[in-house]
Amino acid sequence: AQLKGASGEEAAKLKAAIAKREKLLHPVFHQIAVHFADLHDRPGRMMAKGVIRSVVPWAESRRFFYTRLRRRLAQREVCRQIAGISAIHTAEKPEAPLAILEQIFNASSRLAWDSDRDVLGWLDSAEGQHA
């Protein structure tokens, strides 16, 4: 507000004072912003919000994500085959092949659908190949 009503020399002084104040406050605001962002990307916070199911310990992360990737690739291949068989249903609902696969899995197995290792083992077995 003061800057709008200021003359040329006063405006220059005010702009210099503002720039000095911004330079002084920049490290504080940067630290606050980094801390704020860091709080949102923590596994505990993500789990509390329901974005992830569990926290993967670093020592187990390679095995966990390798198994997750293998499951997703195998699951995708079987879903592609299901979609080819039932093209009419999948055009209306693209998620239908996964739901069908989950139903077949649950009907033929006592394993947990949420377990990547269980589903991957089932998909790799003869049961999964005939799904």
Side-chain angles (χ1 to χ4, degrees):
Q2 291 179 1
L3 191 58
K4 285 185 181 180
S7 65
E9 192 176 308
E10 283 181 24
K13 285 182 182 178
L14 286 172
K15 285 181 182 179
I18 290 171
K20 185 178 176 183
R21 181 78 174 156
E22 285 177 349
K23 188 175 181 180
L24 178 73
L25 292 175
H26 182 269
V28 174
F29 280 103
H30 179 75
Q31 185 178 7
I32 290 168
V34 167
H35 184 69
F36 181 78
D38 193 35
L39 287 174
H40 286 78
D41 291 337
R42 295 284 182 185
R45 183 70 182 143
M46 293 173 76
M47 202 162 119
K49 284 294 192 179
V51 179
I52 59 174
R53 283 182 265 168
S54 65
V55 177
V56 179
W58 182 252
E60 298 171 22
S61 63
R62 180 175 288 222
R63 183 177 327 132
F64 174 85
F65 288 110
Y66 174 75
T67 305
R68 168 69 52 96
L69 177 62
R70 284 192 54 219
R71 177 218 172 134
R72 293 287 175 98
L73 290 172
Q75 185 174 291
R76 182 173 151 192
E77 176 58 28
V78 173
C79 285
R80 189 183 62 73
Q81 292 171 6
I82 292 171
I85 294 169
S86 60
I88 297 168
H89 301 295
T90 58
E92 297 167 6
K93 294 184 177 181
E95 70 280 356
L98 183 59
I100 293 168
L101 178 61
E102 184 177 358
Q103 288 175 351
I104 294 168
F105 175 82
N106 289 330
S108 65
S109 169
R110 293 182 185 259
L111 302 172
W113 177 253
D114 290 341
S115 168
D116 292 329
R117 187 171 285 146
D118 288 351
V119 175
L120 180 61
W122 180 80
L123 287 168
D124 286 343
S125 73
E127 289 178 62
Q129 295 298 322
H130 297 344

